[in-house]
Amino acid sequence: MNPAALDGEPQVLTDVPLAVDPDEVLRFQGYKKGLDVPPADVRALFEAALAEGGLLMEPRAVVRWLPVGRGAPDALEVAGTRLAIPGIGAAWGDVTHVAAAVCTIGDALERRVAALWEARELPLAVMLDSVGSGAVESLAEYVNDAVCHGGLAAGLRVTNRISPGYWTWDVAEQRLLFRLCPGDAVGVMLNDACFMTPTKSITLLAGAGPAARVDHYFSQCARCWMRDCAYRRAPASRTVARVDGVRPGGGS
Ligand code: SF4
């Protein structure tokens, strides 16, 4: 593939075979990976919420590759839009393209959480909400892997992902990201306060280029689901894609 193949229209990913990372869910419950072990009752609640959440979520994403017009230490110019991101030049190095994406699991899970709150079934409501948060984080990782694979196929190294409201990037620039990659293709809307609905949605931006910085980025490969990637820098331990109906980390 040639880099020109990346300059295109928004691409919608549906039917994503998502495997929710249990560590992500438990992190939202306050458990630290490798340090805290949830007791049996929490584990049972987690399994029940994961099973119910799996029926409610509809993981999907829209991804759009765009060329970078001009880079600067604290900004990227993309399709006539200037993204002000302090430190981006040092973090990503020289990037020629970006991939912008909006990811969501839909709104059925959050509506069920609201109903559980109404019914005062609080432990399940809180755990199901954590399942939704963990799921959309896992989905963003899944999309990041797909973007990395697509960039590599075009001869480009792909950086880690960032989002408005995290790291140094002002949340107000969520509007600019939506201008580059409209979320309505997957049913995600943005209000005046830069709040997305459905709430279990994440935006991301990754940079790419022949000389992009990826030297600080090995953890991405460690849980990437691209099994046959020729560029893998670390063996995969746990992934966010289902394989033959088996959920990584146990269960099916
Ligand atoms: S294995 Fe590593 S290099 Fe290959 S697509 Fe996944 S994250 Fe990218």
Side-chain angles (χ1 to χ4, degrees), residues 145 148-149 152 220-221 224 226 229 231-233:
D145 295 344
C148 187
H149 205 65
L152 287 167
Q220 183 78 18
C221 296
C224 177
M226 291 288 180
C229 178
Y231 301 90
R232 180 174 288 285
R233 290 158 286 185

mmCIF file of all heavy atoms in Angstrom, residues 145 148-149 152 220-221 224 226 229 231-233, ligand 1:
data_model
loop_
_atom_site.group_PDB
_atom_site.id
_atom_site.type_symbol
_atom_site.label_atom_id
_atom_site.label_comp_id
_atom_site.label_asym_id
_atom_site.label_seq_id
_atom_site.Cartn_x
_atom_site.Cartn_y
_atom_site.Cartn_z
ATOM 1 N N ASP A 145 -4.658 -0.528 17.278
ATOM 2 C CA ASP A 145 -3.943 -1.631 16.628
ATOM 3 C C ASP A 145 -4.227 -1.645 15.123
ATOM 4 O O ASP A 145 -3.320 -1.820 14.307
ATOM 5 C CB ASP A 145 -4.371 -2.989 17.209
ATOM 6 C CG ASP A 145 -3.995 -3.162 18.670
ATOM 7 O OD1 ASP A 145 -3.158 -2.388 19.166
ATOM 8 O OD2 ASP A 145 -4.566 -4.069 19.315
ATOM 9 N N CYS A 148 -2.406 1.133 13.472
ATOM 10 C CA CYS A 148 -0.978 0.821 13.387
ATOM 11 C C CYS A 148 -0.726 -0.120 12.213
ATOM 12 O O CYS A 148 0.191 0.100 11.417
ATOM 13 C CB CYS A 148 -0.501 0.200 14.700
ATOM 14 S SG CYS A 148 1.299 -0.037 14.744
ATOM 15 N N HIS A 149 -1.554 -1.134 12.094
ATOM 16 C CA HIS A 149 -1.384 -2.107 11.024
ATOM 17 C C HIS A 149 -1.566 -1.442 9.656
ATOM 18 O O HIS A 149 -0.797 -1.693 8.720
ATOM 19 C CB HIS A 149 -2.376 -3.248 11.201
ATOM 20 C CG HIS A 149 -1.935 -4.520 10.570
ATOM 21 N ND1 HIS A 149 -0.838 -5.222 10.989
ATOM 22 C CD2 HIS A 149 -2.442 -5.212 9.525
ATOM 23 C CE1 HIS A 149 -0.680 -6.295 10.246
ATOM 24 N NE2 HIS A 149 -1.634 -6.308 9.347
ATOM 25 N N LEU A 152 1.476 0.750 8.870
ATOM 26 C CA LEU A 152 2.648 -0.055 8.510
ATOM 27 C C LEU A 152 2.532 -0.591 7.095
ATOM 28 O O LEU A 152 3.519 -0.641 6.354
ATOM 29 C CB LEU A 152 2.796 -1.220 9.499
ATOM 30 C CG LEU A 152 3.300 -0.828 10.892
ATOM 31 C CD1 LEU A 152 3.097 -1.971 11.860
ATOM 32 C CD2 LEU A 152 4.765 -0.419 10.844
ATOM 33 N N GLN A 220 2.414 -1.180 23.198
ATOM 34 C CA GLN A 220 1.320 -1.372 22.236
ATOM 35 C C GLN A 220 1.360 -2.782 21.640
ATOM 36 O O GLN A 220 0.352 -3.469 21.574
ATOM 37 C CB GLN A 220 1.447 -0.329 21.120
ATOM 38 C CG GLN A 220 0.341 -0.375 20.092
ATOM 39 C CD GLN A 220 -0.943 0.280 20.600
ATOM 40 O OE1 GLN A 220 -0.901 1.034 21.561
ATOM 41 N NE2 GLN A 220 -2.049 -0.038 19.995
ATOM 42 N N CYS A 221 2.545 -3.226 21.241
ATOM 43 C CA CYS A 221 2.658 -4.561 20.635
ATOM 44 C C CYS A 221 2.314 -5.661 21.646
ATOM 45 O O CYS A 221 1.815 -6.721 21.258
ATOM 46 C CB CYS A 221 4.071 -4.793 20.113
ATOM 47 S SG CYS A 221 4.552 -3.696 18.778
ATOM 48 N N CYS A 224 -1.286 -6.238 21.284
ATOM 49 C CA CYS A 224 -1.902 -6.029 19.959
ATOM 50 C C CYS A 224 -2.435 -7.359 19.420
ATOM 51 O O CYS A 224 -1.800 -8.395 19.545
ATOM 52 C CB CYS A 224 -0.889 -5.433 18.996
ATOM 53 S SG CYS A 224 -1.546 -5.225 17.327
ATOM 54 N N MET A 226 -2.955 -8.069 16.240
ATOM 55 C CA MET A 226 -2.489 -8.382 14.884
ATOM 56 C C MET A 226 -1.462 -9.508 14.956
ATOM 57 O O MET A 226 -0.251 -9.282 15.044
ATOM 58 C CB MET A 226 -1.871 -7.141 14.240
ATOM 59 C CG MET A 226 -2.873 -6.084 13.921
ATOM 60 S SD MET A 226 -3.902 -6.575 12.523
ATOM 61 C CE MET A 226 -4.970 -5.130 12.391
ATOM 62 N N CYS A 229 1.662 -9.750 12.476
ATOM 63 C CA CYS A 229 2.342 -8.501 12.111
ATOM 64 C C CYS A 229 3.859 -8.715 12.036
ATOM 65 O O CYS A 229 4.488 -9.168 12.996
ATOM 66 C CB CYS A 229 2.034 -7.412 13.135
ATOM 67 S SG CYS A 229 2.897 -5.875 12.760
ATOM 68 N N TYR A 231 6.047 -6.518 11.975
ATOM 69 C CA TYR A 231 6.780 -5.436 12.644
ATOM 70 C C TYR A 231 6.687 -5.532 14.165
ATOM 71 O O TYR A 231 7.079 -4.620 14.878
ATOM 72 C CB TYR A 231 6.233 -4.084 12.185
ATOM 73 C CG TYR A 231 6.337 -3.902 10.700
ATOM 74 C CD1 TYR A 231 5.298 -4.300 9.867
ATOM 75 C CD2 TYR A 231 7.485 -3.364 10.124
ATOM 76 C CE1 TYR A 231 5.392 -4.159 8.491
ATOM 77 C CE2 TYR A 231 7.588 -3.214 8.758
ATOM 78 C CZ TYR A 231 6.544 -3.617 7.942
ATOM 79 O OH TYR A 231 6.646 -3.474 6.589
ATOM 80 N N ARG A 232 6.119 -6.614 14.655
ATOM 81 C CA ARG A 232 5.903 -6.755 16.099
ATOM 82 C C ARG A 232 7.212 -6.557 16.872
ATOM 83 O O ARG A 232 8.240 -7.117 16.514
ATOM 84 C CB ARG A 232 5.300 -8.131 16.401
ATOM 85 C CG ARG A 232 5.036 -8.401 17.854
ATOM 86 C CD ARG A 232 4.307 -9.715 18.044
ATOM 87 N NE ARG A 232 2.904 -9.639 17.602
ATOM 88 C CZ ARG A 232 1.942 -9.031 18.289
ATOM 89 N NH1 ARG A 232 2.219 -8.438 19.430
ATOM 90 N NH2 ARG A 232 0.706 -9.009 17.831
ATOM 91 N N ARG A 233 7.137 -5.757 17.954
ATOM 92 C CA ARG A 233 8.333 -5.449 18.748
ATOM 93 C C ARG A 233 8.342 -6.144 20.102
ATOM 94 O O ARG A 233 9.298 -6.057 20.842
ATOM 95 C CB ARG A 233 8.432 -3.927 18.953
ATOM 96 C CG ARG A 233 8.759 -3.175 17.695
ATOM 97 C CD ARG A 233 8.332 -1.736 17.776
ATOM 98 N NE ARG A 233 6.875 -1.627 17.657
ATOM 99 C CZ ARG A 233 6.223 -0.479 17.594
ATOM 100 N NH1 ARG A 233 6.873 0.640 17.668
ATOM 101 N NH2 ARG A 233 4.916 -0.456 17.479
HETATM 102 S S1 SF4 B 1 2.085 -5.857 16.547
HETATM 103 FE FE1 SF4 B 1 2.922 -3.827 17.117
HETATM 104 S S2 SF4 B 1 3.706 -2.983 15.172
HETATM 105 FE FE2 SF4 B 1 2.288 -4.661 14.643
HETATM 106 S S3 SF4 B 1 0.260 -3.662 14.296
HETATM 107 FE FE3 SF4 B 1 0.380 -4.341 16.440
HETATM 108 S S4 SF4 B 1 1.094 -2.544 17.590
HETATM 109 FE FE4 SF4 B 1 1.592 -2.209 15.419
#
